[in-house]
Amino acid sequence: MRDSRNPFKLRIAEKIENDETFLRLFSPSILDSLEGKDIWQKPLFISSAPGGGKTSLLRLLTPGVLKTLYSLRSREHYRDLAQRLQALGAIDKSGPLVLGIMLRGGMRKYRRLSDAALYGDKAVWTFFALLDARIMLASLRSLTELKGLAYPADLKRVYFEIQRASDWTSHIPVPCSGTKLYDWAIELERKIGESLDPFSSGITASSIAHDGFESLRMLGDCAISIDSKPAIRRVVVLLDDLHELSGLQWENLRQEVLRIRPSVGIWLSQRLEAFNPRGILSETLGHGRDYEELRLEEFWSQPRAKTFERMARNVADLRSKNSSEMEAAEFTSCLSDTLDDPEWDDTFIKAKSECESRLKEKIRRNNRYQDWLADVQKFQGTPREAAIRWRVLEILISREERKAQRAFDFGPLSVDELDQSEESDVRNAAEVFLHKECDIPLYFGMDRLARTASYNLQQFLWLAGELFEATISSLLLKRSGVLSPVQQEKIVKRSIKDEWERRQPKFDSTVHNLISSIAAISREATFLPNAPYSPGVTGIAISMAEVQTLIIASNEGGTSPYRLLAETLSLCIANSLLEVRRNHQCKGKSWMIFYLNRMICVYNDLPLNYGGWREQSLHNLLQWIEVGYQKPKGNGTLI
Amino acid sequence: MRILLAEQLIAKVMGWGVDDVSRERPMLQAMADYKYDSYQQFSPGMRFIESLALWLGQFDTDDERKVAYDFVKNRLLFCSQPEMNHMVSMTYRDIIKPILIRVCAEELGTPTYQVAKIVNSKHFAVLQRRCLFLGLSDGGKIDVFRHCNPELRHEQIFLTHELTQDRVETMVEALRQDISAITGATVLSEEGYFRMIFLLDDFAGSGLTNLRESAKAKDYEGKLAKFVYTVMGSTVHSGTDVSGKGTPLSCAIRRSDVHLGIILYSATQQALDHLLNQLARFAKDESFKFHCEAVQIVREADKVNELNDPKFSKLVDSYYDSSVHDKHMEVGGTKDVKRGFAACSLPLVLFHNTPNNSIFLLWSWSESTIGLFPRVTRHGGDA
């Protein structure tokens, strides 16, 4: 089924209504993030910035999707995904094994129940009561969908039997039929609805509130049968968009889930949100014994053989194959990833010549680097390789100049010392310098496109979509469908510029000041002649001790300036302007690193690599958010 | 495949590069899918993008093509079928019912703001039942109107005012029974009549088609005039053509107790002003009460003129086929219809047919000038 010109524009899992389309565009690699986690017996907390892939993960376990995948499992396109789900225990040869119960319609509507004026101290329990009713209804609906029954007509064939004895009492009327459970849930929902208008009904919060989140325990303690036969092996409750709850509701839900320790799976997904600095800045919630946690961007950023790049490539190829205008071509093949074309020879030759002239002038009366110079002059390679080699030499000589001044060591350097110094980081820095000095493209090719996404699938699809549009436009005009590096970089930079300018008005001055300051200091540090942080600086770091200061300030409220800083940082993280790396060990201390979103790196001509960052004090950051970055006054230090 | 060819043609005609195609194509396809492909008067197999390619190709220079393309992108107004249906669905509740509330309030001596009291009264229920909703033309969308208003009875909604005797008798009998059920009292045969007649139509560009003064003193022409003369009867003139006694529907109304409502789903401000002006005099002459409303008004600022779009206005003046100008067009009072009938200068297309009040370049059917949304003229006239 091919009816989309640009399938990259189908970005949001909720908007892809057709289950087969959803599966066709779903990359199995995302399931790598669940490896090693106990996803059926322990609560799983999933978080990411918007577009990270949370809803797609949850939707995968819903009845419609599982049934569709089961029916298509033997088709080549779906085999890998079916096998992975089989390995996870979600399906087997007989069919779906999991009853995925997903609440639809968002969580925002539950916030009304946090109105203390209406509910007083019963607010949270009323919230749990409504959640119970909705989960019960959703479970009945999901069960009938999974088993091909009519809803609600066939609910009389369903029975909930208590399997595990327990000493808790429940408002849920088990053991009972599906019909009775349905009636109970509908009635409870109705009462809660009426209680929202206390002037016209006699229903009070007291009469409807529960003592806790009972549906989870009930689903764990009951066996579900249809026509007296066991119906399902596993149950998992899928709660999405929990960031839309009020702070108190979310905190109570989380604590209740951990307290209950349900024997059903429960996946809770939330977006990293602005008004929860403690949640964003704090250590992980902890995991292992009681629950599992999955922060998607942090998962993708682990050095696991370029997992995200692999997944992005897979996603891109899947999408392009589903375009009505690409004849089974892989998107990767449409992005040229080399500058070794003859059209670039003159540029690289010129760059190399200029570099060579600079160096020869610089070291004219200094024989310390003669061997290095001779070695590089002998180099036989493409013009591009030669230009990079010379630029590397320039960086290394600059480094040696600084070292020599400090150590008073002015003896000649050997070729062996040159070879030892030529690390990949310095080569990458040389490319970044050449990009800036000679306008040579840097942001092209599939791998770099994936890196520009900052481990966010939605951001990747957006940029890839722009490139894909250019590819099919080129084909329409009967030109080559392969985009050159120049074309790719132009499109990516223009798209990012437009998007950044579109988003900027939504942020206040503190956010602007912080981001522009980090970008400014990153540029300054990156383009120092000796490239001390090769390939470049793209972020800042504060110590974990200072993070605690921010968390305390955030909890205490009041007018502490650190509170504003904490909120600004949280806002930047929640809106994917900054990426966080926790507990990074360096110089005997633990650091929290805030990297610029790679999109902002492109906007500022910074490299896409991670690793280069500058430590900052809270005092500096406070100054930045108030007045922006101030260039240092000649003492050589960066503030 | 044909769409691809059309897109290639547009790219060639406009001289687009890859960047231009990347930018424009998603928008063109989206608009075509969303609205423009649904235009019902394209020739078989024709779709919007192909029509656009051919339309743009007729202009002589790149600048002209760019101006024309910008017009389509930024100024064209297209009323789709769902949008028209939406306006129809709003008509009774948002336009007609408030009229009934005002009339009822006046008759009851109740302030108009006591809406619940008025609407819950038997007087209102009877008044509502004494309404008759008739299509003034094919554009009345009576089927949609009927489905959107289940509170109205089938026997009070009809496609046209030209009803048979049997039909009229049936609807009057149903009316009497319903009023009897509302009031709890027997309704005499002479009390079985409609008081509020609403004539529904889809669009008015100038209003001249509906009502205009003729050369004869105190005489009027147009669809409304014809209705008043033949169904209601003239109080000013005499003769069988204006007696109101020749049509079966005449028996279902009382000349001394009738309100006439003209409800347009969309209209220009120019048409509305004209109708209100003409109706004020006509109704005074003929002694009847009237109401005239439009659900959606096309603003004066939307029209094409030298002030708001000088470059496109120049194109409008340059590309024309005078053979389309006939006696029906002359009714508009202009020597040509470059800017549409009665020089309405509208950039408007309706999904079922482009009104001739729109600029000629939009609706042309001639061979020498290509219309973007060619119009189909009605047999016997196009005014």
Side-chain angles (χ1 to χ4, degrees), chain B residues 6-24:
Chain B
E7 288 175 338
Q8 282 169 351
L9 182 56
I10 289 187
K12 188 175 171 192
V13 158
M14 296 296 291
W16 284 343
V18 170
D19 287 347
D20 300 306
V21 172
S22 297
R23 187 184 60 244
E24 301 297 329

Side-chain angles (χ1 to χ4, degrees), chain A residues 127 129 141 184 227 244 251 287 491 497 530 567 597:
Chain A
F127 159 63
R141 195 181 302 115
W184 169 85
D227 298 332
E244 292 178 351
E251 189 52 35
H287 54 88
I491 291 165
K497 179 175 178 288
N530 58 332
E567 287 176 357
N597 185 306

Side-chain angles (χ1 to χ4, degrees), chain B residues 11 20 39 41 77 120 123 157 168 170 181 188 239 246 258 290 295 299 331 335 340 351:
Chain B
D20 300 306
Y39 183 64
Q41 302 308 335
L77 300 177
N120 291 329
H123 193 90
I157 307 174
V168 173
T170 305
L188 302 173
V258 65
F290 76 93
V295 179
R299 306 171 308 167
V331 172
K335 62 177 179 5
F351 73 95

Side-chain angles (χ1 to χ4, degrees), chain A residues 5 9 325 466 469-470 472-479 483 487 490-491 494, chain B residues 3-5 7-8 11-12 16-19 21-23 25-27 29-30:
Chain A
R5 185 196 73 251
K9 306 275 183 178
E325 298 194 14
E466 297 294 313
E469 193 69 50
I472 55 176
S473 299
S474 187
L475 288 171
L476 181 82
L477 296 174
K478 294 197 180 357
R479 298 178 193 175
L483 297 178
Q487 285 176 303
K490 186 179 158 198
I491 291 165
R494 185 188 61 220
Chain B
I3 294 175
L4 277 177
L5 288 172
E7 288 175 338
Q8 282 169 351
K12 188 175 171 192
W16 284 343
V18 170
D19 287 347
V21 172
S22 297
R23 187 184 60 244
R25 205 165 155 231
M27 183 274 301
Q29 285 196 4

Side-chain angles (χ1 to χ4, degrees), chain B residues 307-323:
Chain B
L307 280 176
N308 61 29
D309 205 341
K311 290 183 181 175
F312 190 69
S313 293
K314 205 170 154 200
L315 282 187
V316 167
D317 289 333
S318 306
Y319 290 84
Y320 181 64
D321 181 353
S322 57
S323 66

Side-chain angles (χ1 to χ4, degrees), chain B residues 80-133:
Chain B
S80 64
Q81 186 164 15
E83 284 168 339
M84 181 62 76
N85 288 349
H86 181 65
M87 288 189 279
V88 175
S89 70
M90 288 167 61
T91 299
Y92 179 74
R93 287 185 184 87
D94 294 336
I95 305 292
I96 295 177
K97 199 165 181 178
I99 294 173
L100 299 183
I101 290 170
R102 283 198 299 273
V103 170
C104 193
E106 195 183 319
E107 290 175 358
L108 287 176
T110 305
T112 50
Y113 58 78
Q114 291 186 352
V115 175
K117 185 178 174 185
I118 294 167
V119 168
N120 291 329
S121 67
K122 281 186 184 171
H123 193 90
F124 181 85
V126 170
L127 183 66
Q128 180 179 270
R129 186 56 184 90
R130 286 191 190 272
C131 287
L132 194 56
F133 303 96

Side-chain angles (χ1 to χ4, degrees), chain A residues 144-169:
Chain A
T144 53
E145 186 182 353
L146 190 66
K147 297 299 181 182
L149 303 178
Y151 177 84
D154 282 340
L155 287 178
K156 54 183 178 290
R157 296 166 59 186
V158 178
Y159 199 79
F160 291 81
E161 182 72 64
I162 297 178
Q163 202 178 31
R164 279 182 258 268
S166 59
D167 58 0
W168 61 278
T169 53

